[in-house]
Amino acid sequence: MSLLPIDDVLPELINQLNTNSQLILKAPPGAGKSTRLPLVLLQQGVVAGKVIMLEPRRLAARNIASYLASQLGEKVGDTIGLRVRGETRVSSRTKLEIVTEGVMTRMLQQDPELTGIDLLIFDEFHERSLDADLSLALTLEVQEALRDDLKVLVMSATLDAEALINLLPQAGYIESEGRSYPVELRYKRLTEKANFIGAVAKEIVTLLSRESGSMLVFLPGAGEIRRLVEQLDGQLENEVLVCPLYGQLTGSQQQQAITVAPKGKRKVVLTTNIAETSLTIEG
């Protein structure tokens, strides 16, 4: 496996989890906190019981579970489990469950002692939601009143570290530096009468002719994505794959957008803000 920024802090992180019941990890997107860290914790046997990792979005939860299971050569429901609204894939062999925050809240209400669970990971905590805040509040209450052996790891890319440290004054704190790349900003102003979808399609065609590599395009929602797919039909070279990415798509469609483009191909990924913080798009 290729080295990721998170690898540099893994020894310290494991040591902190062995000695602290609460830990804050700040790591930028693509550092490997969601895809490398959980498997290392399992392999190192950091806790004896089950690990639960909370994700703010179902799309991210499904794809992270699928990716982690594939790294082990297994299917979701074996070592890596998944619980989201309307879908549960776990078994007696499951050691790590990826769950959405609403599901976690219900788990805490149904079993406040979190029987058999030794570590809760709050992933992408910077996205903040009522469910995430409630789950963390309930978890801290459980830790204090019922389970002083329960461990909590809060992870984020862009969190307000000072505010979180004030909330968890006893927690350890680790920061992963990540990687930096040169970024060039260009601004394109649209006229008031311009058709938004038509203008975006034109810009995509122009940029593909000038630049190499693949492209990630953020759009307001699934409706705009579908209209842009139709607009781009027949306008691009055969080597260019147009890959939508939003929650209502099938797993195979989502994977086509997330994984690296096949050899000799380029991708135009049309996505909502799910790809801004919750997922890392390969290539």
Side-chain angles (χ1 to χ4, degrees):
M1 296 176 70
S2 60
L3 290 175
L4 292 171
I6 198 70
D7 292 329
D8 293 335
V9 300
L10 282 176
E12 181 186 0
L13 193 148
I14 291 171
N15 181 60
Q16 291 255 22
L17 276 177
N18 284 328
T19 56
N20 289 343
S21 61
Q22 299 173 354
L23 180 61
I24 300 167
L25 170 64
K26 184 176 181 180
K33 60 185 180 297
S34 307
T35 55
R36 176 70 58 86
L37 174 59
L39 292 181
V40 172
L41 296 180
L42 290 184
Q43 291 161 356
Q44 297 284 332
V46 173
V47 293
K50 186 177 287 186
V51 178
I52 304 290
M53 185 162 76
L54 288 76
E55 292 295 332
R57 304 179 190 237
R58 281 177 288 168
L59 192 155
R62 288 192 183 101
N63 280 285
I64 289 170
S66 295
Y67 178 83
L68 293 175
S70 71
Q71 294 299 297
L72 298 175
E74 299 177 353
K75 295 180 179 180
V76 175
D78 292 333
T79 304
I80 310 299
L82 173 70
R83 287 183 198 264
V84 299
R85 188 176 65 195
E87 182 179 5
T88 299
R89 296 160 68 185
V90 297
S91 68
S92 59
R93 301 182 299 279
T94 301
K95 297 179 180 178
L96 167 65
E97 286 189 27
I98 314 299
V99 308
T100 45
E101 292 154 343
V103 172
M104 187 67 241
T105 302
R106 289 197 296 276
M107 291 173 70
L108 282 158
Q109 291 171 331
Q110 292 168 1
D111 178 16
E113 292 191 24
L114 295 176
T115 307
I117 297 169
D118 284 356
L119 171 63
L120 287 183
I121 302 175
F122 288 78
D123 194 16
E124 307 293 358
F125 194 72
H126 57 270
E127 292 209 8
R128 299 301 297 273
S129 68
L130 184 60
D131 279 325
D133 285 9
L134 178 58
S135 290
L136 181 58
L138 291 172
T139 298
L140 296 179
E141 194 174 75
V142 169
Q143 233 184 2
E144 184 176 358
L146 301 171
R147 290 283 310 277
D148 57 3
D149 63 320
L150 181 66
K151 295 183 183 293
V152 177
L153 170 59
V154 181
M155 308 195 300
S156 176
T158 57
L159 58 78
D160 181 347
E162 186 174 342
L164 201 51
I165 290 170
N166 290 335
L167 179 65
L168 305 169
Q170 305 301 317
Y173 179 79
I174 295 175
E175 187 166 339
S176 171
E177 294 299 325
R179 297 167 179 163
S180 296
Y181 298 91
V183 174
E184 180 184 346
L185 302 178
R186 305 174 196 168
Y187 294 93
K188 180 89 172 187
R189 186 181 297 276
L190 294 182
T191 64
E192 290 184 7
K193 295 181 180 180
N195 174 274
F196 172 66
I197 298 299
V200 174
K202 182 178 179 181
E203 199 65 22
I204 288 172
V205 173
T206 300
L207 286 169
L208 285 172
S209 67
R210 295 177 182 172
E211 308 286 344
S212 60
S214 294
M215 182 184 299
L216 181 60
V217 182
F218 291 103
L219 293 147
E224 288 84 0
I225 291 174
R226 287 191 289 265
R227 290 198 294 274
L228 186 53
V229 170
E230 293 175 1
Q231 187 83 29
L232 290 171
D233 187 31
Q235 292 195 49
L236 304 178
E237 301 291 337
N238 291 333
E239 67 171 19
V240 180
L241 303 175
V242 177
C243 304
L245 180 61
Y246 52 91
Q248 290 76 40
L249 295 174
T250 65
S252 61
Q253 289 172 316
Q254 293 172 10
Q255 282 302 309
Q256 186 180 30
I258 292 168
T259 54
V260 70
K263 188 175 181 180
K265 299 285 187 179
R266 304 165 72 188
K267 285 196 306 184
V268 176
V269 179
L270 310 178
T271 183
T272 61
N273 63 355
I274 183 70
E276 188 175 355
T277 56
S278 297
L279 291 170
T280 298
I281 308 299
E282 295 291 335

